[in-house]
Amino acid sequence: MAATAVRYLRSVGAPTGVETLPRPELRAVREDERAPVDPAEFRRVLGHFASGVTIVTALDEDGPAGFACQSFASLSLDPPLVAFMVARTSTTWPRIARAGAFCVNVLGADQGELCRGFAVSGADKFAGVAHAPAPVTGAPRLAGVPAWIDCTIRTVHTGGDHLIVVGAVEALGAEDDGAPLLFHRGRFGRFTA
């Protein structure tokens, strides 16, 4: 877990306290491999895929950290693994990497404002937000979420302008009722049967 965080910190040029040789520049695709897709069209078309919404949290030496994340998925049942994607430009990700652990808080249909609060950069995202330590890692488990997954960082992969973070599930829990918060075409929505 610590080795994964150190590798990430080295890849972005952050100090780790360990002397290293220069690394080659990380890249996902060469310029000649890029498809001629307009970024705005890419976002518009992919916006048709509805997803759930989560808040990924961690606790480091500076206190709680977190960000809103819709790119979350279960990855493996045996062993139990989950994955989320985070922009390389995220200011919260280095704190999660240093912590080596995180809690995925799955949001309910009535938690759109909570999501918006964690989607901004630079604000005190935890102001007025009740939370308790997740049972294994101590990462913030937000009050009132329908489900949570307590994880340690297993691996981090590059994926273009994002990183793909794989977490080993250490503990999890869910409430039996409550509809999920969905994100579709740039807006929050609800699931109706």
Side-chain angles (χ1 to χ4, degrees), residues 56-153:
V56 177
T57 60
L59 183 64
D60 72 356
E61 65 275 359
D62 295 327
F67 71 97
C69 179
Q70 77 179 81
S71 56
F72 166 78
S74 62
L75 180 62
S76 170
L77 185 60
D78 186 18
L81 301 172
V82 296
F84 70 86
M85 283 57 77
V86 60
R88 288 177 177 232
T89 57
S90 168
T91 57
T92 303
W93 165 245
R95 295 184 61 195
I96 296 171
R98 278 194 303 271
F102 60 92
C103 184
V104 177
N105 296 272
V106 178
L107 298 184
D110 60 344
Q111 294 179 312
E113 285 306 311
L114 179 63
C115 180
R116 284 184 188 91
F118 277 83
V120 297
S121 184
D124 180 4
K125 299 175 186 180
F126 284 86
V129 177
H131 58 89
V136 176
T137 70
R141 190 177 83 196
L142 304 181
V145 296
W148 55 271
I149 305 103
D150 190 14
C151 304
T152 53
I153 295 175

Side-chain angles (χ1 to χ4, degrees), residues 117-192:
F118 277 83
V120 297
S121 184
D124 180 4
K125 299 175 186 180
F126 284 86
V129 177
H131 58 89
V136 176
T137 70
R141 190 177 83 196
L142 304 181
V145 296
W148 55 271
I149 305 103
D150 190 14
C151 304
T152 53
I153 295 175
R154 180 76 165 273
T155 58
V156 178
H157 304 280
T158 59
D161 58 5
H162 278 60
L163 297 170
I164 304 161
V165 181
V166 177
V169 177
E170 306 293 343
L172 69 166
E175 301 295 322
D176 287 336
D177 56 350
L181 180 63
L182 299 178
F183 192 73
H184 180 251
R185 297 178 69 186
R187 296 188 317 230
F188 293 126
R190 295 174 178 254
F191 177 77
T192 56

